[in-house]
């Protein structure tokens, strides 16, 4: 059965490569990018490579949560349902360390944006009988400080990135509990894959990008993941495994969600 699949951050890296692979199988693919010219170019490229015309794009800068909400409204209006949401968009190094609201850009793009987008798209996800959410976590996970979420504490790029990825994982587990009919999985697609983000941050890679693409493809459509909601797939260790201990601490999760909702107003 062909699926309606939304992939954020899909104009390059493993998001784009996963989109190509899924498009080749005839699924209806919705791309997201922050630059409309680049997005249109990638849509055209994927249509040509996959021979699939059912490719559409949406533009939003994920460092601006207002744009995220606008994109969600557009998607709800234009897309009949969402079977798979791949929250893939992410940032590590950036010219600006904070967004217009004074929040750390890694916290916003890697955690708050997918939180806002997913909750806004709940009606579209509920229209599918087999909806899945795949949240791109990381091997880099570190205890989340309240002040980092609120913008009162400043950290290095790597520290903020690790906290944003743990926040995303903690929220994934919470979301899975609250929405048992939606399969929600957090995944570390692999450390230092051969992508633009790894090159810009570290100037090297450990594994080919295809390693990450293969697991995103599998998590999106393979039936073996149907009973794995509320879990963490670690592609460095080749299977389902334990995330950071805080991801299983219900008190810390409740505190995180409360602070998050406070920040979002």
């Amino acid at each position: 059965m062909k699926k309606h699949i939304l992939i954020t951050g899909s104009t390059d890296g493993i998001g784009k490569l996963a989109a190509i692979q899924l498009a080749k199988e005839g699924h209806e693919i919705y791309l997201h990018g922050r630059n409309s010219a680049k997005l249109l170019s990638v849509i055209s490229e994927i249509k040509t490579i996959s021979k699939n015309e059912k490719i559409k794009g949406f533009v939003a800068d994920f460092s601006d949560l207002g744009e995220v909400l606008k994109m969600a409204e557009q998607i709800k209006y234009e897309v009949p349902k969402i079977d798979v949401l791949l929250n893939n968009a992410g940032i590590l190094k950036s010219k600006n360390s904070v967004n217009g609201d004074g929040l750390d850009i890694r916290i916003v793009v890697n955690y708050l944006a997918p939180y806002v987008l997913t909750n806004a798209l709940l009606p579209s996800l509920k229209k599918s009988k087999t909806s899945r959410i795949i949240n791109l976590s990381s091997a880099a996970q570190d205890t989340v400080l309240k002040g980092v979420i609120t913008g009162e504490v400043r950290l290095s790029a790597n520290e903020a990135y690790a906290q944003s990825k743990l926040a995303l994982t903690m929220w994934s587990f919470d979301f899975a509990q609250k929405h048992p009919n939606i399969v929600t999985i957090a995944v570390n697609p692999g450390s230092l894959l051969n992508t633009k983000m790894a090159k810009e941050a570290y100037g090297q890679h450990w594994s080919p990008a295809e390693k990450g693409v293969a697991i995103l493809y599998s998590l999106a459509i393979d039936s073996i993941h149907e009973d794995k909601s509320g879990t963490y797939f670690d592609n460095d260790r080749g299977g389902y495994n334990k995330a950071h201990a805080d991801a299983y601490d219900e008190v810390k999760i409740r505190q995180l969600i409360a602070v998050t909702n406070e920040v979002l107003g």
Side-chain angles (χ1 to χ4, degrees), residues 3-9 30 32 62 71 75 81-89 113-122 124-125 130-136 171 175 182-185 216 219-220:
K3 295 181 180 291
H4 294 74
I5 302 172
L6 170 62
I7 308 173
T8 67
Y30 305 96
H32 152 258
F62 270 26
M71 184 178 107
I75 290 168
K81 63 174 178 174
I82 295 172
D83 296 299
V84 181
L85 168 58
L86 268 166
N87 280 315
N88 167 73
Y115 184 102
V116 166
L117 179 68
T118 304
N119 282 299
L121 290 178
L122 260 178
S124 303
L125 286 156
T130 57
S131 56
R132 288 188 194 186
I133 298 167
I134 312 303
N135 288 329
L136 272 282
W171 164 64
F175 187 93
I182 301 173
V183 174
T184 306
I185 297 168
L216 293 195
L219 288 168

mmCIF file of all heavy atoms in Angstrom, residues 3-9 30 32 62 71 75 81-89 113-122 124-125 130-136 171 175 182-185 216 219-220:
data_model
loop_
_atom_site.group_PDB
_atom_site.id
_atom_site.type_symbol
_atom_site.label_atom_id
_atom_site.label_comp_id
_atom_site.label_asym_id
_atom_site.label_seq_id
_atom_site.Cartn_x
_atom_site.Cartn_y
_atom_site.Cartn_z
ATOM 1 N N LYS A 3 2.013 5.025 0.665
ATOM 2 C CA LYS A 3 1.826 5.874 1.840
ATOM 3 C C LYS A 3 2.068 7.356 1.528
ATOM 4 O O LYS A 3 2.773 7.688 0.579
ATOM 5 C CB LYS A 3 2.784 5.431 2.946
ATOM 6 C CG LYS A 3 2.511 4.023 3.472
ATOM 7 C CD LYS A 3 3.463 3.650 4.575
ATOM 8 C CE LYS A 3 3.188 2.241 5.101
ATOM 9 N NZ LYS A 3 1.911 2.151 5.831
ATOM 10 N N HIS A 4 1.494 8.209 2.371
ATOM 11 C CA HIS A 4 1.753 9.650 2.330
ATOM 12 C C HIS A 4 2.826 9.923 3.379
ATOM 13 O O HIS A 4 2.585 9.732 4.580
ATOM 14 C CB HIS A 4 0.488 10.444 2.663
ATOM 15 C CG HIS A 4 -0.593 10.309 1.640
ATOM 16 N ND1 HIS A 4 -1.352 9.164 1.502
ATOM 17 C CD2 HIS A 4 -1.042 11.178 0.689
ATOM 18 C CE1 HIS A 4 -2.231 9.335 0.515
ATOM 19 N NE2 HIS A 4 -2.060 10.543 0.011
ATOM 20 N N ILE A 5 4.007 10.354 2.929
ATOM 21 C CA ILE A 5 5.170 10.459 3.809
ATOM 22 C C ILE A 5 5.726 11.880 3.797
ATOM 23 O O ILE A 5 6.094 12.405 2.751
ATOM 24 C CB ILE A 5 6.271 9.462 3.371
ATOM 25 C CG1 ILE A 5 5.723 8.027 3.392
ATOM 26 C CG2 ILE A 5 7.505 9.583 4.267
ATOM 27 C CD1 ILE A 5 6.659 6.990 2.804
ATOM 28 N N LEU A 6 5.788 12.504 4.975
ATOM 29 C CA LEU A 6 6.362 13.843 5.128
ATOM 30 C C LEU A 6 7.737 13.716 5.778
ATOM 31 O O LEU A 6 7.864 13.112 6.847
ATOM 32 C CB LEU A 6 5.442 14.713 5.998
ATOM 33 C CG LEU A 6 5.993 16.067 6.463
ATOM 34 C CD1 LEU A 6 6.303 16.985 5.285
ATOM 35 C CD2 LEU A 6 5.008 16.746 7.420
ATOM 36 N N ILE A 7 8.741 14.274 5.122
ATOM 37 C CA ILE A 7 10.114 14.228 5.643
ATOM 38 C C ILE A 7 10.622 15.654 5.813
ATOM 39 O O ILE A 7 10.755 16.394 4.832
ATOM 40 C CB ILE A 7 11.060 13.456 4.694
ATOM 41 C CG1 ILE A 7 10.484 12.084 4.346
ATOM 42 C CG2 ILE A 7 12.454 13.321 5.313
ATOM 43 C CD1 ILE A 7 11.278 11.327 3.285
ATOM 44 N N THR A 8 10.910 16.052 7.030
ATOM 45 C CA THR A 8 11.444 17.399 7.247
ATOM 46 C C THR A 8 12.952 17.394 6.999
ATOM 47 O O THR A 8 13.613 16.368 7.118
ATOM 48 C CB THR A 8 11.142 17.907 8.670
ATOM 49 O OG1 THR A 8 11.871 17.134 9.630
ATOM 50 C CG2 THR A 8 9.655 17.829 8.989
ATOM 51 N N GLY A 9 13.476 18.556 6.629
ATOM 52 C CA GLY A 9 14.906 18.664 6.348
ATOM 53 C C GLY A 9 15.329 17.717 5.234
ATOM 54 O O GLY A 9 16.312 16.984 5.368
ATOM 55 N N TYR A 30 6.260 14.182 0.625
ATOM 56 C CA TYR A 30 6.186 15.617 0.912
ATOM 57 C C TYR A 30 7.513 16.033 1.524
ATOM 58 O O TYR A 30 7.882 15.563 2.603
ATOM 59 C CB TYR A 30 5.015 15.918 1.854
ATOM 60 C CG TYR A 30 3.711 15.406 1.313
ATOM 61 C CD1 TYR A 30 3.202 14.169 1.710
ATOM 62 C CD2 TYR A 30 3.007 16.130 0.358
ATOM 63 C CE1 TYR A 30 2.019 13.679 1.181
ATOM 64 C CE2 TYR A 30 1.825 15.656 -0.177
ATOM 65 C CZ TYR A 30 1.334 14.424 0.238
ATOM 66 O OH TYR A 30 0.170 13.932 -0.297
ATOM 67 N N HIS A 32 10.363 18.956 2.847
ATOM 68 C CA HIS A 32 10.413 20.245 3.529
ATOM 69 C C HIS A 32 11.814 20.814 3.399
ATOM 70 O O HIS A 32 12.808 20.091 3.494
ATOM 71 C CB HIS A 32 10.073 20.112 5.022
ATOM 72 C CG HIS A 32 10.732 21.184 5.859
ATOM 73 N ND1 HIS A 32 11.874 20.939 6.613
ATOM 74 C CD2 HIS A 32 10.467 22.508 5.996
ATOM 75 C CE1 HIS A 32 12.247 22.061 7.197
ATOM 76 N NE2 HIS A 32 11.414 23.022 6.849
ATOM 77 N N PHE A 62 12.818 26.355 10.317
ATOM 78 C CA PHE A 62 12.460 25.726 11.588
ATOM 79 C C PHE A 62 13.014 26.455 12.811
ATOM 80 O O PHE A 62 12.700 26.082 13.936
ATOM 81 C CB PHE A 62 12.912 24.257 11.592
ATOM 82 C CG PHE A 62 11.859 23.309 11.058
ATOM 83 C CD1 PHE A 62 10.905 23.740 10.160
ATOM 84 C CD2 PHE A 62 11.830 21.979 11.461
ATOM 85 C CE1 PHE A 62 9.937 22.886 9.660
ATOM 86 C CE2 PHE A 62 10.866 21.106 10.981
ATOM 87 C CZ PHE A 62 9.912 21.553 10.086
ATOM 88 N N MET A 71 3.345 26.270 8.191
ATOM 89 C CA MET A 71 3.550 25.110 7.331
ATOM 90 C C MET A 71 2.581 23.989 7.704
ATOM 91 O O MET A 71 2.002 23.334 6.829
ATOM 92 C CB MET A 71 4.996 24.617 7.433
ATOM 93 C CG MET A 71 5.304 23.469 6.498
ATOM 94 S SD MET A 71 7.036 22.928 6.579
ATOM 95 C CE MET A 71 6.826 21.370 7.455
ATOM 96 N N ILE A 75 -0.105 22.152 5.282
ATOM 97 C CA ILE A 75 -0.113 20.704 5.080
ATOM 98 C C ILE A 75 -1.499 20.129 5.376
ATOM 99 O O ILE A 75 -2.021 19.308 4.605
ATOM 100 C CB ILE A 75 0.962 20.025 5.963
ATOM 101 C CG1 ILE A 75 2.368 20.376 5.449
ATOM 102 C CG2 ILE A 75 0.782 18.503 5.999
ATOM 103 C CD1 ILE A 75 3.500 20.005 6.401
ATOM 104 N N LYS A 81 -3.843 13.019 4.258
ATOM 105 C CA LYS A 81 -3.511 12.363 5.527
ATOM 106 C C LYS A 81 -1.997 12.198 5.578
ATOM 107 O O LYS A 81 -1.307 12.349 4.564
ATOM 108 C CB LYS A 81 -4.172 10.989 5.641
ATOM 109 C CG LYS A 81 -3.697 9.999 4.589
ATOM 110 C CD LYS A 81 -4.262 8.599 4.812
ATOM 111 C CE LYS A 81 -3.799 7.654 3.713
ATOM 112 N NZ LYS A 81 -4.206 6.258 3.969
ATOM 113 N N ILE A 82 -1.473 11.880 6.761
ATOM 114 C CA ILE A 82 -0.051 11.575 6.881
ATOM 115 C C ILE A 82 0.088 10.183 7.488
ATOM 116 O O ILE A 82 -0.363 9.936 8.609
ATOM 117 C CB ILE A 82 0.695 12.613 7.744
ATOM 118 C CG1 ILE A 82 0.674 13.983 7.068
ATOM 119 C CG2 ILE A 82 2.154 12.182 7.968
ATOM 120 C CD1 ILE A 82 1.210 15.101 7.921
ATOM 121 N N ASP A 83 0.689 9.281 6.722
ATOM 122 C CA ASP A 83 0.950 7.925 7.217
ATOM 123 C C ASP A 83 2.270 7.869 7.970
ATOM 124 O O ASP A 83 2.397 7.140 8.954
ATOM 125 C CB ASP A 83 1.003 6.929 6.057
ATOM 126 C CG ASP A 83 -0.326 6.821 5.334
ATOM 127 O OD1 ASP A 83 -1.313 6.428 5.981
ATOM 128 O OD2 ASP A 83 -0.387 7.136 4.132
ATOM 129 N N VAL A 84 3.254 8.630 7.483
ATOM 130 C CA VAL A 84 4.576 8.630 8.110
ATOM 131 C C VAL A 84 5.093 10.069 8.196
ATOM 132 O O VAL A 84 5.112 10.787 7.206
ATOM 133 C CB VAL A 84 5.596 7.788 7.306
ATOM 134 C CG1 VAL A 84 6.958 7.787 8.007
ATOM 135 C CG2 VAL A 84 5.102 6.358 7.125
ATOM 136 N N LEU A 85 5.504 10.456 9.403
ATOM 137 C CA LEU A 85 6.168 11.744 9.612
ATOM 138 C C LEU A 85 7.593 11.462 10.073
ATOM 139 O O LEU A 85 7.797 10.884 11.140
ATOM 140 C CB LEU A 85 5.424 12.568 10.661
ATOM 141 C CG LEU A 85 6.129 13.820 11.199
ATOM 142 C CD1 LEU A 85 6.480 14.783 10.068
ATOM 143 C CD2 LEU A 85 5.278 14.519 12.260
ATOM 144 N N LEU A 86 8.547 11.840 9.246
ATOM 145 C CA LEU A 86 9.961 11.684 9.593
ATOM 146 C C LEU A 86 10.487 13.043 10.036
ATOM 147 O O LEU A 86 10.755 13.922 9.215
ATOM 148 C CB LEU A 86 10.750 11.205 8.369
ATOM 149 C CG LEU A 86 10.920 9.693 8.188
ATOM 150 C CD1 LEU A 86 11.405 9.389 6.775
ATOM 151 C CD2 LEU A 86 11.914 9.141 9.181
ATOM 152 N N ASN A 87 10.619 13.222 11.346
ATOM 153 C CA ASN A 87 11.162 14.471 11.886
ATOM 154 C C ASN A 87 12.688 14.410 11.799
ATOM 155 O O ASN A 87 13.368 14.046 12.755
ATOM 156 C CB ASN A 87 10.693 14.667 13.334
ATOM 157 C CG ASN A 87 9.284 15.211 13.413
ATOM 158 O OD1 ASN A 87 8.927 16.146 12.694
ATOM 159 N ND2 ASN A 87 8.464 14.641 14.273
ATOM 160 N N ASN A 88 13.194 14.771 10.624
ATOM 161 C CA ASN A 88 14.604 14.604 10.294
ATOM 162 C C ASN A 88 15.405 15.904 10.375
ATOM 163 O O ASN A 88 16.611 15.867 10.580
ATOM 164 C CB ASN A 88 14.698 14.006 8.877
ATOM 165 C CG ASN A 88 16.091 14.078 8.306
ATOM 166 O OD1 ASN A 88 16.993 13.354 8.713
ATOM 167 N ND2 ASN A 88 16.295 14.979 7.339
ATOM 168 N N ALA A 89 14.736 17.049 10.217
ATOM 169 C CA ALA A 89 15.451 18.333 10.186
ATOM 170 C C ALA A 89 16.268 18.525 11.457
ATOM 171 O O ALA A 89 15.785 18.274 12.561
ATOM 172 C CB ALA A 89 14.466 19.482 10.027
ATOM 173 N N ALA A 113 10.712 22.625 17.230
ATOM 174 C CA ALA A 113 10.034 22.614 15.924
ATOM 175 C C ALA A 113 9.310 21.289 15.662
ATOM 176 O O ALA A 113 8.132 21.289 15.294
ATOM 177 C CB ALA A 113 11.022 22.941 14.806
ATOM 178 N N PRO A 114 9.973 20.133 15.842
ATOM 179 C CA PRO A 114 9.231 18.890 15.657
ATOM 180 C C PRO A 114 8.092 18.702 16.664
ATOM 181 O O PRO A 114 7.044 18.144 16.328
ATOM 182 C CB PRO A 114 10.288 17.785 15.806
ATOM 183 C CG PRO A 114 11.509 18.432 16.336
ATOM 184 C CD PRO A 114 11.424 19.888 15.997
ATOM 185 N N TYR A 115 8.283 19.190 17.881
ATOM 186 C CA TYR A 115 7.229 19.138 18.907
ATOM 187 C C TYR A 115 5.997 19.909 18.422
ATOM 188 O O TYR A 115 4.867 19.396 18.451
ATOM 189 C CB TYR A 115 7.788 19.748 20.197
ATOM 190 C CG TYR A 115 6.874 19.707 21.402
ATOM 191 C CD1 TYR A 115 7.066 18.763 22.401
ATOM 192 C CD2 TYR A 115 5.851 20.632 21.569
ATOM 193 C CE1 TYR A 115 6.254 18.731 23.534
ATOM 194 C CE2 TYR A 115 5.031 20.613 22.683
ATOM 195 C CZ TYR A 115 5.235 19.657 23.670
ATOM 196 O OH TYR A 115 4.412 19.642 24.776
ATOM 197 N N VAL A 116 6.239 21.143 17.952
ATOM 198 C CA VAL A 116 5.143 22.002 17.475
ATOM 199 C C VAL A 116 4.497 21.410 16.217
ATOM 200 O O VAL A 116 3.269 21.325 16.115
ATOM 201 C CB VAL A 116 5.678 23.431 17.198
ATOM 202 C CG1 VAL A 116 4.681 24.258 16.387
ATOM 203 C CG2 VAL A 116 6.013 24.130 18.514
ATOM 204 N N LEU A 117 5.325 21.002 15.271
ATOM 205 C CA LEU A 117 4.813 20.470 13.998
ATOM 206 C C LEU A 117 3.976 19.214 14.226
ATOM 207 O O LEU A 117 2.860 19.097 13.705
ATOM 208 C CB LEU A 117 5.973 20.156 13.058
ATOM 209 C CG LEU A 117 5.586 19.566 11.694
ATOM 210 C CD1 LEU A 117 4.858 20.610 10.842
ATOM 211 C CD2 LEU A 117 6.813 19.039 10.955
ATOM 212 N N THR A 118 4.507 18.283 14.996
ATOM 213 C CA THR A 118 3.817 17.009 15.209
ATOM 214 C C THR A 118 2.477 17.213 15.890
ATOM 215 O O THR A 118 1.457 16.632 15.480
ATOM 216 C CB THR A 118 4.696 16.055 16.051
ATOM 217 O OG1 THR A 118 5.952 15.896 15.391
ATOM 218 C CG2 THR A 118 4.043 14.700 16.213
ATOM 219 N N ASN A 119 2.459 18.034 16.932
ATOM 220 C CA ASN A 119 1.193 18.274 17.633
ATOM 221 C C ASN A 119 0.184 18.995 16.748
ATOM 222 O O ASN A 119 -1.013 18.701 16.803
ATOM 223 C CB ASN A 119 1.453 19.036 18.933
ATOM 224 C CG ASN A 119 1.993 18.128 20.025
ATOM 225 O OD1 ASN A 119 1.341 17.180 20.436
ATOM 226 N ND2 ASN A 119 3.199 18.388 20.490
ATOM 227 N N ALA A 120 0.667 19.899 15.897
ATOM 228 C CA ALA A 120 -0.232 20.606 14.977
ATOM 229 C C ALA A 120 -0.795 19.662 13.911
ATOM 230 O O ALA A 120 -1.906 19.864 13.423
ATOM 231 C CB ALA A 120 0.505 21.769 14.315
ATOM 232 N N LEU A 121 0.001 18.629 13.561
ATOM 233 C CA LEU A 121 -0.416 17.695 12.503
ATOM 234 C C LEU A 121 -1.159 16.464 13.026
ATOM 235 O O LEU A 121 -1.462 15.549 12.261
ATOM 236 C CB LEU A 121 0.806 17.236 11.696
ATOM 237 C CG LEU A 121 1.455 18.290 10.802
ATOM 238 C CD1 LEU A 121 2.671 17.707 10.105
ATOM 239 C CD2 LEU A 121 0.463 18.829 9.763
ATOM 240 N N LEU A 122 -1.471 16.457 14.314
ATOM 241 C CA LEU A 122 -2.175 15.303 14.886
ATOM 242 C C LEU A 122 -3.442 14.923 14.120
ATOM 243 O O LEU A 122 -3.665 13.732 13.864
ATOM 244 C CB LEU A 122 -2.523 15.570 16.358
ATOM 245 C CG LEU A 122 -1.599 14.932 17.391
ATOM 246 C CD1 LEU A 122 -2.028 15.325 18.793
ATOM 247 C CD2 LEU A 122 -1.581 13.417 17.259
ATOM 248 N N SER A 124 -4.062 15.156 10.976
ATOM 249 C CA SER A 124 -3.656 14.496 9.731
ATOM 250 C C SER A 124 -3.087 13.102 10.001
ATOM 251 O O SER A 124 -3.294 12.169 9.220
ATOM 252 C CB SER A 124 -2.604 15.337 9.000
ATOM 253 O OG SER A 124 -3.095 16.630 8.746
ATOM 254 N N LEU A 125 -2.357 12.955 11.100
ATOM 255 C CA LEU A 125 -1.802 11.648 11.475
ATOM 256 C C LEU A 125 -2.918 10.692 11.876
ATOM 257 O O LEU A 125 -2.860 9.490 11.580
ATOM 258 C CB LEU A 125 -0.809 11.817 12.626
ATOM 259 C CG LEU A 125 0.542 12.440 12.258
ATOM 260 C CD1 LEU A 125 1.196 13.085 13.464
ATOM 261 C CD2 LEU A 125 1.472 11.393 11.651
ATOM 262 N N THR A 130 -2.515 3.576 10.116
ATOM 263 C CA THR A 130 -1.198 2.983 10.423
ATOM 264 C C THR A 130 -0.120 4.067 10.521
ATOM 265 O O THR A 130 0.976 3.923 9.994
ATOM 266 C CB THR A 130 -0.786 1.972 9.332
ATOM 267 O OG1 THR A 130 -0.784 2.651 8.063
ATOM 268 C CG2 THR A 130 -1.723 0.797 9.284
ATOM 269 N N SER A 131 -0.439 5.164 11.205
ATOM 270 C CA SER A 131 0.510 6.289 11.224
ATOM 271 C C SER A 131 1.737 6.003 12.082
ATOM 272 O O SER A 131 1.667 5.317 13.099
ATOM 273 C CB SER A 131 -0.177 7.574 11.673
ATOM 274 O OG SER A 131 -0.784 7.385 12.917
ATOM 275 N N ARG A 132 2.867 6.565 11.605
ATOM 276 C CA ARG A 132 4.139 6.431 12.317
ATOM 277 C C ARG A 132 4.834 7.781 12.390
ATOM 278 O O ARG A 132 4.774 8.563 11.447
ATOM 279 C CB ARG A 132 5.086 5.471 11.583
ATOM 280 C CG ARG A 132 4.696 4.035 11.652
ATOM 281 C CD ARG A 132 5.787 3.142 11.077
ATOM 282 N NE ARG A 132 5.270 1.803 10.851
ATOM 283 C CZ ARG A 132 5.992 0.781 10.461
ATOM 284 N NH1 ARG A 132 7.293 0.935 10.234
ATOM 285 N NH2 ARG A 132 5.451 -0.407 10.297
ATOM 286 N N ILE A 133 5.537 7.988 13.499
ATOM 287 C CA ILE A 133 6.400 9.159 13.645
ATOM 288 C C ILE A 133 7.795 8.643 13.952
ATOM 289 O O ILE A 133 7.984 7.863 14.891
ATOM 290 C CB ILE A 133 5.918 10.073 14.790
ATOM 291 C CG1 ILE A 133 4.506 10.599 14.493
ATOM 292 C CG2 ILE A 133 6.893 11.232 14.989
ATOM 293 C CD1 ILE A 133 3.834 11.236 15.694
ATOM 294 N N ILE A 134 8.757 9.062 13.156
ATOM 295 C CA ILE A 134 10.151 8.690 13.367
ATOM 296 C C ILE A 134 10.914 9.962 13.726
ATOM 297 O O ILE A 134 10.998 10.889 12.914
ATOM 298 C CB ILE A 134 10.775 8.038 12.107
ATOM 299 C CG1 ILE A 134 9.843 6.940 11.536
ATOM 300 C CG2 ILE A 134 12.164 7.499 12.421
ATOM 301 C CD1 ILE A 134 9.479 5.836 12.489
ATOM 302 N N ASN A 135 11.428 10.018 14.947
ATOM 303 C CA ASN A 135 12.136 11.209 15.429
ATOM 304 C C ASN A 135 13.641 10.964 15.418
ATOM 305 O O ASN A 135 14.127 10.019 16.037
ATOM 306 C CB ASN A 135 11.669 11.566 16.841
ATOM 307 C CG ASN A 135 10.258 12.144 16.845
ATOM 308 O OD1 ASN A 135 9.846 12.788 15.882
ATOM 309 N ND2 ASN A 135 9.525 11.938 17.919
ATOM 310 N N LEU A 136 14.368 11.832 14.714
ATOM 311 C CA LEU A 136 15.814 11.664 14.559
ATOM 312 C C LEU A 136 16.560 12.134 15.799
ATOM 313 O O LEU A 136 16.760 13.329 16.001
ATOM 314 C CB LEU A 136 16.311 12.432 13.324
ATOM 315 C CG LEU A 136 16.282 11.683 12.000
ATOM 316 C CD1 LEU A 136 17.431 10.716 11.851
ATOM 317 C CD2 LEU A 136 14.956 10.990 11.759
ATOM 318 N N TRP A 171 10.564 13.328 24.818
ATOM 319 C CA TRP A 171 9.231 13.679 24.325
ATOM 320 C C TRP A 171 8.652 12.558 23.463
ATOM 321 O O TRP A 171 7.452 12.282 23.521
ATOM 322 C CB TRP A 171 9.280 15.003 23.549
ATOM 323 C CG TRP A 171 8.057 15.214 22.726
ATOM 324 C CD1 TRP A 171 6.772 15.363 23.179
ATOM 325 C CD2 TRP A 171 7.978 15.248 21.298
ATOM 326 N NE1 TRP A 171 5.902 15.502 22.111
ATOM 327 C CE2 TRP A 171 6.631 15.433 20.954
ATOM 328 C CE3 TRP A 171 8.934 15.148 20.286
ATOM 329 C CZ2 TRP A 171 6.204 15.508 19.635
ATOM 330 C CZ3 TRP A 171 8.513 15.241 18.969
ATOM 331 C CH2 TRP A 171 7.159 15.412 18.654
ATOM 332 N N PHE A 175 5.077 11.066 24.043
ATOM 333 C CA PHE A 175 4.073 11.134 22.980
ATOM 334 C C PHE A 175 3.520 9.741 22.682
ATOM 335 O O PHE A 175 2.311 9.561 22.491
ATOM 336 C CB PHE A 175 4.695 11.746 21.720
ATOM 337 C CG PHE A 175 3.715 12.012 20.614
ATOM 338 C CD1 PHE A 175 3.103 13.252 20.494
ATOM 339 C CD2 PHE A 175 3.395 11.022 19.685
ATOM 340 C CE1 PHE A 175 2.184 13.499 19.476
ATOM 341 C CE2 PHE A 175 2.485 11.259 18.672
ATOM 342 C CZ PHE A 175 1.881 12.503 18.569
ATOM 343 N N ILE A 182 -0.535 5.694 17.449
ATOM 344 C CA ILE A 182 0.493 6.179 16.521
ATOM 345 C C ILE A 182 1.830 5.562 16.936
ATOM 346 O O ILE A 182 2.263 5.739 18.069
ATOM 347 C CB ILE A 182 0.600 7.721 16.543
ATOM 348 C CG1 ILE A 182 -0.742 8.356 16.156
ATOM 349 C CG2 ILE A 182 1.706 8.194 15.601
ATOM 350 C CD1 ILE A 182 -0.779 9.875 16.305
ATOM 351 N N VAL A 183 2.451 4.827 16.048
ATOM 352 C CA VAL A 183 3.764 4.237 16.347
ATOM 353 C C VAL A 183 4.805 5.358 16.335
ATOM 354 O O VAL A 183 5.006 6.018 15.314
ATOM 355 C CB VAL A 183 4.144 3.152 15.313
ATOM 356 C CG1 VAL A 183 5.562 2.647 15.556
ATOM 357 C CG2 VAL A 183 3.151 2.000 15.375
ATOM 358 N N THR A 184 5.434 5.596 17.485
ATOM 359 C CA THR A 184 6.407 6.683 17.613
ATOM 360 C C THR A 184 7.743 6.116 18.072
ATOM 361 O O THR A 184 7.826 5.510 19.142
ATOM 362 C CB THR A 184 5.908 7.739 18.622
ATOM 363 O OG1 THR A 184 4.591 8.168 18.229
ATOM 364 C CG2 THR A 184 6.829 8.934 18.667
ATOM 365 N N ILE A 185 8.769 6.310 17.254
ATOM 366 C CA ILE A 185 10.087 5.728 17.526
ATOM 367 C C ILE A 185 11.160 6.805 17.409
ATOM 368 O O ILE A 185 11.166 7.591 16.459
ATOM 369 C CB ILE A 185 10.381 4.580 16.523
ATOM 370 C CG1 ILE A 185 9.357 3.446 16.700
ATOM 371 C CG2 ILE A 185 11.807 4.042 16.705
ATOM 372 C CD1 ILE A 185 9.375 2.414 15.591
ATOM 373 N N LEU A 216 16.139 4.609 8.187
ATOM 374 C CA LEU A 216 14.971 5.487 8.054
ATOM 375 C C LEU A 216 13.920 4.850 7.151
ATOM 376 O O LEU A 216 12.722 4.872 7.447
ATOM 377 C CB LEU A 216 15.368 6.857 7.495
ATOM 378 C CG LEU A 216 16.242 7.761 8.364
ATOM 379 C CD1 LEU A 216 16.236 9.178 7.824
ATOM 380 C CD2 LEU A 216 15.780 7.762 9.813
ATOM 381 N N LEU A 219 12.300 1.934 9.147
ATOM 382 C CA LEU A 219 11.401 2.425 10.199
ATOM 383 C C LEU A 219 10.125 3.025 9.620
ATOM 384 O O LEU A 219 9.056 2.949 10.233
ATOM 385 C CB LEU A 219 12.120 3.461 11.067
ATOM 386 C CG LEU A 219 13.206 2.922 12.004
ATOM 387 C CD1 LEU A 219 14.034 4.067 12.572
ATOM 388 C CD2 LEU A 219 12.608 2.097 13.140
ATOM 389 N N ALA A 220 10.232 3.600 8.438
ATOM 390 C CA ALA A 220 9.073 4.232 7.809
ATOM 391 C C ALA A 220 8.038 3.218 7.330
ATOM 392 O O ALA A 220 6.835 3.447 7.471
ATOM 393 C CB ALA A 220 9.512 5.112 6.640
#
